[in-house]
Amino acid sequence: MKYALVTGGSRGLGKAICLEIAGTGVPVIINYQSNEQAALSVKAEIEAQGGQAELMPFDVSNADAVNEALNAWEEAHPDDYIAYLVNNAGIRRDNVMFMMPDEDWHAVIDTSLNGFFYVTRKLLPKMMQRKHGGRIVNMSSLSGLKGMQGQANYSAAKAALIGATKALALETAARSVTVNAVAPGFIETDMTRELPQDELKQLVPMKRFGKPEEVAALVKFLLSDAAAYITGEVISINGGLYT
């Protein structure tokens, strides 16, 4: 059986993506680091709608923790494999660079970029060995395309993720593994709740923030068979803010 793994799947965009994938009948593995209650809530919501879900807690920035969790899952599911991967885990530690502590730079890079590397590297062999390949979607950001003031760390991580997406797509295309990135703009999530939304909406041609469900619908398409000939692409979803 094919499974989907969504890192950072307990809240915000990750939650919406988990729900959207589960609606297609694919069992979803919800990764989270510490908020077990939120992850259990997502699992319960999926199951209430007739879907299948399980939890997999680990810190994506810790290579040993990633390998331990995924090795244990593979041992428990000898006939299954993770065919769909959404690298969604990410954090923000905003500050102007001259005031940014070392730990805030490294924490953001470690989660968004190194987390992508550790999880994807572990799952790639099984995807590439299977006849039907796999799908990888990396959650980048508007910040990774244009840069955002006060987000040198976040912009660097998300821009690097775009470069890695394009390179990896070339490495895996012949094995039917597609690799794409999604770059959301301002989306209504916990991560944007403290931002000055009324002010920022005026910068968006559509005059509103996006909904997590709108991003999740795009991710679902990129994971589907209908997107089998799309790879190495970065798709923006930002209401026209950056075109």
Side-chain angles (χ1 to χ4, degrees), residues 46-105:
I46 288 172
E47 292 173 343
Q49 297 174 5
Q52 300 179 57
E54 57 187 83
L55 306 186
M56 187 185 288
F58 63 82
D59 178 358
V60 298
S61 69
N62 184 319
D64 291 337
V66 169
N67 290 332
E68 181 179 347
L70 292 174
N71 282 334
W73 187 90
E74 289 175 354
E75 289 176 7
H77 296 78
D79 299 322
D80 306 320
Y81 83 109
I82 296 171
Y84 310 102
L85 170 61
V86 182
N87 286 300
N88 171 73
I91 60 171
R92 278 180 41 220
R93 299 279 179 84
D94 294 355
N95 209 335
V96 291
M97 181 176 277
F98 78 93
M99 295 179 62
M100 185 176 291
D102 289 357
E103 55 266 29
D104 286 358
W105 174 269

Side-chain angles (χ1 to χ4, degrees), residues 111-125:
T111 302
S112 289
L113 186 59
N114 293 347
F116 147 79
F117 172 65
Y118 296 142
V119 177
T120 306
R121 178 182 61 178
K122 176 63 179 172
L123 296 180
L124 268 176

Side-chain angles (χ1 to χ4, degrees), residues 125-196:
K126 288 280 176 63
M127 286 189 188
M128 296 175 72
Q129 290 165 9
R130 300 284 179 142
K131 179 180 178 181
H132 300 292
R135 302 275 184 272
I136 299 170
V137 175
N138 300 319
M139 301 305 296
S140 183
S141 170
L142 171 68
S143 295
L145 291 170
K146 70 180 295 292
M148 297 289 280
Q149 185 176 355
Q151 289 192 337
N153 49 2
Y154 191 74
S155 294
K158 295 301 187 178
L161 199 54
I162 288 173
T165 295
K166 291 180 175 292
L168 183 59
L170 297 175
E171 296 178 11
T172 62
R175 297 296 184 94
S176 299
V177 177
T178 66
V179 189
N180 292 289
V182 171
F186 296 120
I187 309 296
E188 295 175 352
T189 67
D190 293 345
M191 194 174 281
T192 60
R193 187 168 295 156
E194 76 278 10
L195 298 177

Side-chain angles (χ1 to χ4, degrees), residues 4-11 14-15 18 28-35 38-39 42 54-61 65-66 69-70 85-90 111 115 119:
L5 169 61
V6 180
T7 66
S10 64
R11 296 185 300 168
K15 174 183 177 179
C18 286
V28 178
I29 304 167
I30 304 164
N31 162 257
Y32 66 98
Q33 182 175 349
S34 58
N35 195 338
V42 178
E54 57 187 83
L55 306 186
M56 187 185 288
F58 63 82
D59 178 358
V60 298
S61 69
V66 169
L70 292 174
L85 170 61
V86 182
N87 286 300
N88 171 73
T111 302
V119 177

